[in-house]
Amino acid sequence: ETGVTQSPTHLIKTRGQQVTLRCSSQSGHNTVSWYQQALGQGPQFIFQYYREEENGRGNFPPRFSGLQFPNYSSELNVNALELDDSALYLCASFGRTEAFFGQGTRLTVV
Amino acid sequence: AQKVTQAQTEISVVEKEDVTLDCVYETRDTTYYLFWYKQPPSGELVFLIRRNSFDEQNEISGRYSWNFQKSTSSFNFTITASQVVDSAVYFCALSEGLGSGNTGKLIFGQGTTLQVKP
């Protein structure tokens, strides 16, 4: 039990639409980060939030945005979906000695 | 630049064999974390270990052991007496920097698929 939960678990969207993925982190974990994992690849860092501020971003366009809330929940928003956005999206919650991931949201863009 | 290389794409062993998964990393920082994760078919990344760059002691946890060698920039993972349930994709990852707010960026290797046959 990691204490990190993501919703929804699966999602199908149409190209051009917008999507919001949600993550609930462990209480007390002030850092959350989001990752995109394409099939057969390692997870790729999208961005991280620390105490509700974005403080690190990977090589992803601005249509990938996020929010972190005081209750340790966070969101990943993707606008103008493209077919290549189809992937498993993972959020991670960081404590002093551990880094736990949620079970992921599998997004399919058709 | 930061980089993690897992040269073994796929490994297949028979149950009860020992198996070592290799991980080589590149970083310019002197302080960093190294991680190993297991990803079963369900997709969730299961945390196995985090090691900071100041601690080169090897670690053993049950059938799992880790060998960290800064001299060769390697952080290898050994499973002793492998079991079918160990079948999964294993990822090694690097995080630069220590301290609050600066450890959320992990650089992952491509992963090693381990198949343990009965």
Side-chain angles (χ1 to χ4, degrees), chain A residues 33-99:
Chain A
S33 54
W34 285 87
Y35 293 80
Q36 180 194 68
Q37 186 179 17
L39 204 60
Q41 304 292 318
Q44 298 294 313
F45 174 74
I46 302 175
F47 45 58
Q48 72 174 19
Y49 279 78
Y50 175 65
R51 293 185 174 175
E52 302 164 50
E53 296 284 335
E54 182 181 310
N55 74 337
R57 190 174 186 93
N59 190 25
F60 281 81
R63 57 189 187 83
F64 285 79
S65 63
L67 287 171
Q68 184 186 25
F69 303 100
N71 64 352
Y72 303 106
S73 65
S74 62
E75 290 180 355
L76 164 64
N77 299 290
V78 186
N79 294 321
L81 283 166
E82 300 176 359
L83 296 179
D84 285 349
D85 295 333
S86 295
L88 179 67
Y89 289 85
L90 297 156
C91 77
S93 168
F94 291 79
R96 293 186 61 188
T97 60
E98 67 283 329

Side-chain angles (χ1 to χ4, degrees), chain A residues 96, chain B residues 31-35 50-53 93-99 103 106:
Chain A
R96 293 186 61 188
Chain B
T31 56
Y32 50 88
Y33 287 121
L34 294 164
F35 299 77
R50 183 179 90 166
R51 174 55 50 83
N52 74 54
S53 53
L94 164 71
S95 172
E96 292 186 338
L98 292 174
T103 56
L106 300 185

Side-chain angles (χ1 to χ4, degrees), chain B residues 24-43:
Chain B
V24 174
Y25 62 92
E26 297 176 27
T27 178
R28 293 178 183 174
D29 273 15
T30 55
T31 56
Y32 50 88
Y33 287 121
L34 294 164
F35 299 77
W36 274 96
Y37 286 90
K38 173 182 180 180
Q39 189 173 44
S42 60

